[in-house]
Amino acid sequence: MRTYSCIIVATAVTVHVGTVSTAADKSPGHALLLNNHAVVLKGFEGFASDAVTFEAWLSSSDVCNAGTILSYALDSNSTNAQQRTADFNHFAIFDAHRMIACHAFTYFTLWPDPNKISCYSKYGNHPVTSILERDGSWHHIAVTWTAANHGTTKIYQDGLLMAQVETGATEPLQPGGALMLGADQDCYAGCTDSTQAYHGLMDEVRIWSVERTQEQILDNMRMRDGVADQSGLVAYWTFDDPNMLEGTSGVWQARDSSKNGHHLPLVTPPQQDMVTIHQGRQTYDTGMLSFSNNYALNEAVGGMPEKDLTVEMWARTPAYKRTAAGLQPSELLSYATHTTGAVPFSRGITDHVFVDDAILIEKYYVTDAKVGDGNTPLSTIGVSINANPRSNKGKLHHWINFDVDWKDNEWHHLAVTWRFETGKTELLFDGVANVPTWRGSAGRWQSKPATEGGVDPNMAAGTLRLPNGSLVLGQNQECYGGCFNPQSSLRGDLADVRIWSKALTQDAIRANRFKASLEDTDGLVARYVFTADNIQEGSTDANGLRKKVVLDSSPSTMKKPLYLWSDMPRFEVSTAPLADKQGQPLQLPDSPWLDHALFLSDQQVLLATNFQNFPSTAVTVEFWMWSVDNCNQGVPFSYATGPYGDGDNSFLIYGYNNWMIDVMEENGGYSDRDSGTGSADGQWHHVAVTWASQDGHTHLYLDGRKAWSTVRGKGKRIPSGGTLVIGREQDCPGGCFDSREGAAGQTQRTYQLEYGAQDFIGVMDEIRIWSTVRSQSQIQQGIASDVKRTEVNEADVDIGRIKHNDPDLVAYWTFEEGSGYLVKDVTGKGHDLHIQQAPQWRVVGPQQLCGNGLVEGLEHCDDGNTASGDGCSSTCQVTSRPCHTV
């Protein structure tokens, strides 16, 4: 449940002090969590010229991606491809695993590279340094470059010089470029590559227009006080403003503490405007929204089509450029929900599964030898219905492509219809019916040119989708209301989006394309006309942020407003090892309710042996988790009662990027193994799994929603007395972990890792085991019980909590200890978890630290000090004078 407070995320923070330095003396404040996000500042005037220093504190465990720390690109119009690439690579700090810094190189890496033209060759083709740590430890990096001395570049880690090279890049840095944190630009301010994205925390980012010395770096890297007053500071983002600054046009920014005004845009919602659409002799005056890696979203719509449907819209995208990177995808509309039906587990395939592509309409370019000339990409409209390509090994992959001539930057009208009984899918493009040329459905694929009749237009016939789910314009959902990919976000415009619960005739679609007023609105369940009067200011959320809302102008009684926002990184409470003027570490906030959680990695083993009375015929396991790991098949829960293949997977919950469940060695067949949805997206999620031996029905609930159903271990009994391990996967009781080399405990050899490393990298909290199959309403009540921990009644701090003595509760770990090597089972049944390595406890729930300038937890005020007599007491309670605010 996303309202659950995170590790590290401040969900209700009010800033009462206008300066950062007051809080800086008290705690590390906040950091920015980047998880395939691209934070960009366009038109960066005043950027460094003849020398530059970049500094930041970083925390990452991502071994899968070449994480880009910083990218500074020029807006190049060069016709020379190599020069254009060099302009986009004007200055970059690339690859958190083997870090290099490059100025105006065409290639970061190149193999083979006999002429040594790549940036990496200047470093001797050897890794320089890595900031990656399995346990998420922080590192400080500083990179300097100067035009002098043949473009000398130096890389420091934790104040130590790790590399010094003469790159030969001596041209001055140019102003006015696009500065991006967390991703690499393959075009100006965009064209990012997910494999080169940074996944982790970033804090205390500083840019200087001078080459800082090692002494200056060492003296200031842990300090915050006085940094903003030092000469040569161009920009300084502390990320200690989770409320953000509100700029023009609804843009929300991270404050630049250098006083140079380079505030960093974190949220840029879609922008409204009016447009006159011309097509032939017809015109249409209407409102439009311009998208650029942002969205219009409602995570909880109702009344969506269950059977037949039509989706109409006007759309405009940039003209195709051969010089642009990749397929240039544009996600237009995405509706995510669940399929449902009357025959559970038909042919071994569940009929209740999360479908992120219940309705998906997208545009991209593709080259196919069968339908194209191999050089000129085809402009393709892709349509998916009741689909999830990650679930059931492709059995729910329903996708049809229509090739259209859409390479200009003009407005075009799209209308997609789908019929429940036959699965017939049609596309009208500017009123003209198109023939599908590619089809993937239920694991079978077809490709045939339109000139030869195209492919079968039918897919997903007879499949029902739920009428309630999550609707978004401009992005593609991989989970409810999120898990967006900036590489495929819409960069273009939409106008007059209509959703119908019937398949309109082609004549009806043609007749109404240019009409603002419709005579027949029967079946119109949602309509978005982006005129100014249909966009209103929404209410202020818990973080003090106001989101604009697009009204639904359809006659439907179930209105579906969309709020306008963008996929921003998250503010998290920083644990970076900063210090005060005397070199003493800054104090981390603590929780007034003793709410803690434990960070887990392959460097930790958390276990209980000889687990008596483990549920044998009915069980519910539930927990809260947080992770940004997209590398591992993360295992939160492993219960083993025997050796490999004979009880090591007695009850196993694994794959937090694509959930899977094993019960008594049964993991499903080829078509019934993957749920198709995950939870490692940098937000807190509640996960619950239920199982009953009688019928083998196994259900996965995510944040209180039923996400997947399957059958496991029908008629079997789970033995008692096994070994429970949290965060690792056992192939024998208490060991044989599926981990990378160097992990704690007994590990399998690399060739034995059938599914790769399966370690949990992240934070877990509130783990419960029940001896019954909990209903969906009971699971939701449990979530509310956990969240209610933030609503403390001072007379009864246990109000609304799960009762520790509930007879169905087998074990319950709250992680409230906050220290030590034991997690107590609060049921009193003795199933304590032993922490085998040095623990990394985390504060969760509302944090508070009186005197840091932030009103947190039970504080009523916080004026940045712990002195009484100024209206805010030493314990941050309001006294006779009001708490001073700025």
Side-chain angles (χ1 to χ4, degrees), residues 53-56 93 140-144 154-158 217:
T53 298
F54 173 87
E55 293 183 82
I93 303 173
H140 180 270
I141 66 157
V143 173
T144 69
K154 299 177 183 179
I155 299 177
Y156 300 86
Q157 179 171 314
D158 299 328
I217 292 168

Side-chain angles (χ1 to χ4, degrees), residues 863 865-877 879 881:
D863 56 359
N865 64 63
T866 53
S868 296
D870 56 1
C872 186
S873 73
S874 60
T875 58
C876 287
Q877 304 300 306
T879 55
R881 292 173 54 199

